[in-house]
Amino acid sequence: MKIFSAKQIYAADKFTIEKQQITSDALMERSAIQIFNWIHTRMQGAPVKIHLFCGIGNNGGDGIALARHLFEHGYNIAVYVVNYSKTRSKDFLINLDRLKDRKIWPEFLESGSKLPVIGRDDIIVDAIFGIGLNRAPDAWVVKLMAHLHESEAFILSVDIPSGLYTDKLPTDKNAVIKSNFVLSFQAPKLVFFLPDTGIYSNQWEILDIGLDAEFLIGNETDYELIGKNEVLPFYIPREKFSHKGTHGHALIIGGSKGKVGAVQLAAKACLKSGSGMVTVYVPECGYIPLQTAVPEVMVLTNDEDKISKIDFEITPKVVGIGIGLGTDDATQKAFEDFLTDNKTPLVVDADAINILAENPKGFKKLVSQAIITPHPKELERLIGAWKDDFDKLEKTKAFSKKYDCIVVIKGAHSIIIYGDKGYVNTTGNPGMATAGSGDVLTGMITGLIAQGYEPLKAAIFGVYLHGRAGDIAVEQTGYQSEIASDIISGIGSAFIDLFKVPEPPQQAQEDQGSNNG
């Protein structure tokens, strides 16, 4: 699913209006009807009071139009116009007149207005500001937002939480609505998935408002949202007469005294992801633990407690390196020498990232499309400090282009960056914030490349499967008890889940709302 910028959404609106020969207020009516249907399907006329706070732009127009549909279906509503400017959009005024025609008189709120009483069991519809917000809200509007939060009522935001920009951070964290649910038109917003801004939208759902398919399909975006539908075409099925050699030979290099467990996790995840054969290259101290814990892997060893030289006679299809490696001087030298001669696809993690951060010339030795999987602190060592999430993404893109590498920014919504393009993952849960989870991811991506997946597809698919495996496992463990080994146990189920057809939703009578002009 594409993640469109605010500029692209405005262009899509204009394109749709011109191509479909409709008016802009007709498009607004579509939006309002879709919001109404979402609410009505869930509430079925429940007697709860709904407070609609509407701005004076097009987002407010959506809210005003929604109020009309709610009223005509018997809902108990109160409508407020947040009168923050003298400028009103044309479509807002059209829908305000339609509301008044039905003898519904909104209360206009201004600086100094008495704030309305809102019950804890009421519902708030936030339609104050949309994606066109270009300045911080006035102080009195911020006070209103605080009042809405203090009510503890359920807050449903139209398209985006009011006060949130689409391309930068809010200057005042209190000047943004904290939504329980966001109904986003046609496509999600990037800010739903970034740590700095995702905190303002607890849950979101997409409403299709009929923006023209030609525009949506034909325009590229800087970011895409990755779910099952996006990764399923990547899947490479197994042939009946294939054998272990058909599915590739992966080499995992890492481990040092006290950190051999990381290699065990990566190696097992590599196997469970489908690699036909896996060899691990570890210090001598890891030989018995690996042969005992993961009998399916082959083991090559080097020094007693650390890797001081990387030398092997096998010909792997991919190398995953850095897991538990350590940063001993001899290990750093061995890694640098390895990079000088290596022509094999690479997945770089953990201490290998730290070594490169200390010796940036090594980045130029990486093979094309090497995959680097840093956690936030490791990423900072690579690209430097960032002022916010938007700056982080831009710096990561520049880094990716400079060294022709794929960067997996690990987080609640891991983002894969290659060049100017970003891919935002949708799977995963807080239980996966646990030691060893990253080692499992490295093993999974390595295993996919071994089977013939292109590096970028392997990174995207691996991150998706990793999160889905964690989601499946957490159903049995709960967040607090999920550990990296549980994620490995869920890998098989994550593959099976790719081909599960979701059960049809329970049929509900759909009301298309009124379409009065």
Side-chain angles (χ1 to χ4, degrees):
M1 181 184 295
K2 295 178 179 179
I3 300 176
F4 291 93
S5 66
K7 184 177 179 180
Q8 288 175 311
I9 289 294
Y10 285 128
D13 287 349
K14 183 179 179 181
F15 185 93
T16 300
I17 290 167
E18 291 176 354
K19 184 181 176 185
Q20 299 180 8
Q21 297 185 342
I22 61 173
T23 61
S24 56
D25 73 282
L27 185 59
M28 182 173 286
E29 188 70 9
R30 287 185 191 174
S31 303
I33 289 173
Q34 287 290 71
I35 303 168
F36 169 78
N37 287 337
W38 190 92
I39 294 173
H40 189 49
T41 298
R42 288 154 182 79
M43 295 186 62
Q44 293 296 313
V48 64
K49 188 167 186 179
I50 302 176
H51 303 260
L52 297 99
F53 291 84
C54 307
I56 52 180
N58 283 346
N59 193 256
D62 294 328
I64 293 290
L66 169 64
R68 171 165 42 89
H69 292 295
L70 290 169
F71 172 77
E72 291 177 347
H73 286 78
Y75 284 92
N76 180 16
I77 65 170
V79 187
Y80 313 91
V81 173
V82 183
N83 199 26
Y84 55 79
S85 171
K86 294 181 180 180
T87 305
R88 285 133 171 75
S89 79
K90 173 177 66 72
D91 293 331
F92 166 82
L93 291 172
I94 289 172
N95 279 285
L96 184 61
D97 287 341
R98 289 172 179 165
L99 199 63
K100 290 178 179 178
D101 287 343
R102 287 148 179 83
K103 310 302 181 186
I104 306 172
W105 308 102
E107 180 180 347
F108 278 71
L109 301 177
E110 298 177 340
S111 178
S113 294
K114 183 179 179 180
L115 298 177
V117 176
I118 303 172
R120 185 176 182 180
D121 296 326
D122 295 347
I123 291 175
I124 294 169
V125 174
D126 157 38
I128 304 173
F129 303 115
I131 60 174
L133 183 68
N134 56 20
R135 64 179 178 85
D138 294 337
W140 73 269
V141 180
V142 177
K143 183 179 178 181
L144 171 63
M145 291 177 172
H147 177 68
L148 301 186
H149 295 145
E150 288 167 3
S151 74
E152 299 185 3
F154 182 91
I155 300 179
L156 175 70
S157 285
V158 174
D159 202 27
I160 191 170
S162 289
L164 193 60
Y165 305 103
T166 60
D167 58 357
K168 63 181 180 180
L169 290 188
T171 54
D172 180 1
K173 292 184 177 181
N174 296 315
V176 184
I177 290 291
K178 296 179 178 64
S179 302
N180 298 98
F181 213 103
V182 181
L183 296 178
S184 183
F185 297 143
Q186 206 66 52
K189 312 298 185 282
L190 179 62
V191 288
F192 296 169
F193 310 105
L194 304 179
D196 288 341
T197 53
I199 55 175
Y200 299 106
S201 49
N202 189 38
Q203 290 181 281
W204 57 271
E205 190 171 318
I206 299 302
L207 295 183
D208 184 351
I209 60 171
L211 294 184
D212 198 85
E214 180 185 343
F215 183 95
L216 300 177
I217 295 170
N219 281 264
E220 289 298 319
T221 58
D222 291 340
Y223 296 91
E224 289 186 21
L225 194 65
I226 301 301
K228 181 192 291 191
N229 291 338
E230 286 73 29
V231 301
L232 189 55
F234 295 173
Y235 179 77
I236 300 175
R238 296 232 162 166
E239 299 293 336
K240 177 179 179 180
F241 295 104
S242 61
H243 52 81
K244 64 182 180 182
T246 308
H247 307 303
H249 188 173
L251 175 62
I252 304 289
I253 301 174
S256 55
K257 188 173 183 180
K259 297 179 180 179
V260 174
V263 183
Q264 292 180 0
L265 291 169
K268 192 166 186 179
C270 189
L271 282 166
K272 293 285 283 185
S273 299
S275 181
M277 295 181 287
V278 177
T279 294
V280 295
Y281 192 98
V282 293
E284 187 69 30
C285 63
Y287 178 78
I288 293 176
L290 260 301
Q291 292 279 256
T292 304
V294 195
E296 297 91 346
V297 305
M298 297 169 282
V299 183
L300 300 175
T301 62
N302 179 236
D303 212 336
E304 175 59 33
D305 295 334
K306 60 181 179 295
I307 290 177
S308 57
K309 186 178 181 181
I310 300 175
D311 185 18
F312 49 86
E313 295 181 358
I314 64 174
T315 307
K317 289 191 67 174
V318 58
V319 175
I321 191 167
I323 311 96
L325 187 65
T327 56
D328 183 89
D329 289 345
T331 303
Q332 292 192 42
K333 178 65 166 56
F335 178 54
E336 292 166 11
D337 291 344
F338 165 75
L339 288 183
T340 300
D341 298 325
N342 178 65
K343 304 297 181 187
T344 305
L346 269 182
V347 182
V348 183
D349 189 23
D351 284 326
I353 295 175
N354 295 327
I355 294 172
L356 286 170
E358 291 294 322
N359 304 276
K361 291 182 180 179
F363 287 116
K364 295 182 179 179
K365 298 179 181 180
L366 293 175
V367 295
S368 176
Q369 296 189 39
I371 299 171
I372 304 175
T373 61
H375 59 56
K377 202 63 186 176
E378 291 167 345
L379 180 65
E380 185 178 355
R381 295 183 190 120
L382 297 182
I383 66 173
W386 51 82
K387 63 180 180 181
D388 56 44
D389 286 333
F390 298 99
D391 185 41
K392 174 177 68 178
L393 291 172
E394 291 306 308
K395 287 185 173 181
T396 305
K397 286 180 179 180
F399 178 87
S400 171
K401 289 188 287 186
K402 182 176 181 179
Y403 297 113
D404 187 27
C405 61
I406 298 162
V407 183
V408 177
I409 304 175
K410 293 187 284 196
H413 289 283
S414 293
I415 302 177
I416 300 94
I417 297 290
Y418 184 50
D420 284 321
K421 188 83 172 183
Y423 303 86
V424 182
N425 186 53
T426 56
T427 58
N429 64 80
M432 297 175 69
T434 183
S437 179
D439 303 321
V440 174
L441 176 61
T442 295
M444 293 179 70
I445 295 173
T446 303
L448 291 172
I449 296 176
Q451 296 169 76
Y453 289 86
E454 297 170 5
L456 180 58
K457 289 183 177 180
I460 296 170
F461 198 15
V463 169
Y464 172 85
L465 287 171
H466 179 255
R468 190 69 189 104
D471 289 341
I472 291 169
V474 82
E475 293 177 5
Q476 302 299 322
T477 66
Y479 291 148
Q480 290 79 7
S481 297
E482 186 171 29
I483 61 175
S485 297
D486 296 323
I487 300 172
I488 295 174
S489 298
I491 294 174
S493 297
F495 274 108
I496 293 171
D497 181 70
L498 288 172
F499 302 97
K500 279 186 178 179
V501 178
E503 294 182 8
Q506 196 170 21
Q507 293 297 315
Q509 186 174 355
E510 187 174 284
D511 190 322
Q512 291 302 315
S514 58
N515 193 11
N516 300 47

